[in-house]
Amino acid sequence: MQVVTLGPEGTYSHRAARAVDEDVVFRESVSGIVDAVDSGAYERGVVPIENSIEGSVTETLDAIANADIAVIQEIVTPIRHALLAQSANFDTVASHSQALAQCRSYLEREYPDAELEPVTSTARGVEYAREDPTVAGIGHPDNAGDDLTVIAEDIQDRSSNATRFLVIAPAEERADGGGKSTIVVYPNANYPGLLLELLEAFAERDINLSRIESRPSGNRLGDYLFHIDFDAGFYEDRAQEALEDIEEIAENGWVKRLGSYDKRHVLY
């Protein structure tokens, strides 16, 4: 089974995708990955959803809210950033914007005059470093190969740096079984106590919310939808009751049940 994820070869997404299948193909954007699964071109996709330092990946949130896909697994992997270059003489650091942000303190301290150039992925930044001796990339130290030098290892601002990835599949593979579930709620309403009502639907049934995030709906200014992860499977009576309340609150909008799934830790 081919798995589509963020490329080129050597990204952290690639490392996570190999836990699903060794046959991995690449896209240049998260939205491209989600579209490839939504269209039926691929059976599996792997997308980053949240980093322990920089928080949620908004491109992923927006893409899965607009697609008809399933979430079937969560993969958590530690992130080890290294500074990779042809030599110590470089004036630009190129990497994914999230990686640059995760190494902000190190870069400001050690290379305050370096230009920071956001690119589509960490692996793309490493490719630039291979092509241009004035550029350094940020990526896993194994990505240095034979032609780049590891200038410094573990340059992330926090040693606990880790990223959650979602494994996505066609919508018909949505499951009710698993220890965790993801939904997207668009209330199409705005009144005092709306968010409290959403939270109470879970709190009253002793369901822990592991993440809740609002994103603009795109319909009008000040109009939001909510991404909610909670620690229960759709099969549980308490989850079904909570979702019935949520659907009533969002009767003028919609609730998308992306699936219940289990978590997998992958170490590299």
Side-chain angles (χ1 to χ4, degrees), residues 49-50 56 60-61 64 71 73-74 164-166 179-185 199 202 207-214 226-234 243 256-261 263:
I49 187 71
E50 183 180 15
S56 295
T60 301
L61 296 177
I64 64 176
V71 175
Q73 190 180 50
E74 174 181 302
R164 292 176 58 219
F165 295 88
L166 297 181
K180 192 172 186 178
S181 301
T182 292
I183 63 173
V184 184
V185 182
L199 298 177
F202 297 98
I207 298 175
N208 181 56
L209 297 186
S210 53
R211 183 177 63 90
I212 180 168
E213 182 125 7
S214 63
F226 299 92
H227 291 257
I228 300 174
D229 294 344
F230 59 89
D231 296 336
F234 288 156
L243 289 171
K256 183 179 292 185
R257 305 186 186 196
L258 292 178
S260 297
Y261 50 88
K263 178 189 298 187

Side-chain angles (χ1 to χ4, degrees), residues 36-252:
V37 175
D38 191 6
S39 68
Y42 294 94
E43 296 179 73
R44 296 290 184 270
V46 173
V47 291
I49 187 71
E50 183 180 15
N51 177 261
S52 60
I53 295 177
E54 284 302 300
S56 295
V57 181
T58 56
E59 184 184 3
T60 301
L61 296 177
D62 295 342
I64 64 176
N66 293 322
D68 189 23
I69 51 93
V71 175
I72 62 169
Q73 190 180 50
E74 174 181 302
I75 294 174
V76 179
T77 183
I79 302 297
R80 290 189 58 213
H81 285 318
L83 192 63
L84 312 175
Q86 295 183 33
S87 73
N89 300 316
F90 58 85
D91 52 33
T92 299
V93 179
S95 194
H96 191 278
S97 57
Q98 283 256 340
L100 293 172
Q102 292 161 20
C103 303
R104 183 183 295 112
S105 296
Y106 171 83
L107 295 173
E108 289 177 350
R109 182 178 67 251
E110 300 294 332
Y111 299 96
D113 297 326
E115 179 183 354
L116 305 184
E117 182 179 345
V119 293
T120 55
S121 68
T122 54
R124 184 66 70 199
V126 173
E127 282 190 350
Y128 286 170
R130 286 195 171 91
E131 298 166 358
D132 189 338
T134 69
V135 174
I138 294 175
H140 193 280
D142 289 352
N143 289 354
D146 297 328
D147 46 359
L148 291 178
T149 298
V150 179
I151 305 299
E153 291 191 47
D154 294 319
I155 65 172
Q156 60 273 6
D157 292 342
R158 298 182 185 176
S159 60
S160 60
N161 192 14
T163 294
R164 292 176 58 219
F165 295 88
L166 297 181
V167 181
I168 60 174
E172 58 267 22
E173 294 192 40
R174 290 174 184 163
D176 291 343
K180 192 172 186 178
S181 301
T182 292
I183 63 173
V184 184
V185 182
Y186 176 52
N188 194 21
N190 186 12
Y191 55 84
L194 170 61
L195 181 56
L196 178 60
E197 290 181 8
L198 293 173
L199 298 177
E200 284 180 338
F202 297 98
E204 290 174 353
R205 295 169 177 87
D206 198 30
I207 298 175
N208 181 56
L209 297 186
S210 53
R211 183 177 63 90
I212 180 168
E213 182 125 7
S214 63
R215 290 292 298 156
S217 69
N219 295 332
R220 55 188 178 273
L221 186 64
D223 191 44
Y224 296 93
L225 51 79
F226 299 92
H227 291 257
I228 300 174
D229 294 344
F230 59 89
D231 296 336
F234 288 156
Y235 70 94
E236 298 183 49
D237 290 341
R238 58 177 183 155
Q240 290 292 338
E241 292 170 2
L243 289 171
E244 288 173 5
D245 284 359
I246 296 297
E247 288 171 344
E248 185 175 341
I249 294 168
E251 61 179 348
N252 294 323

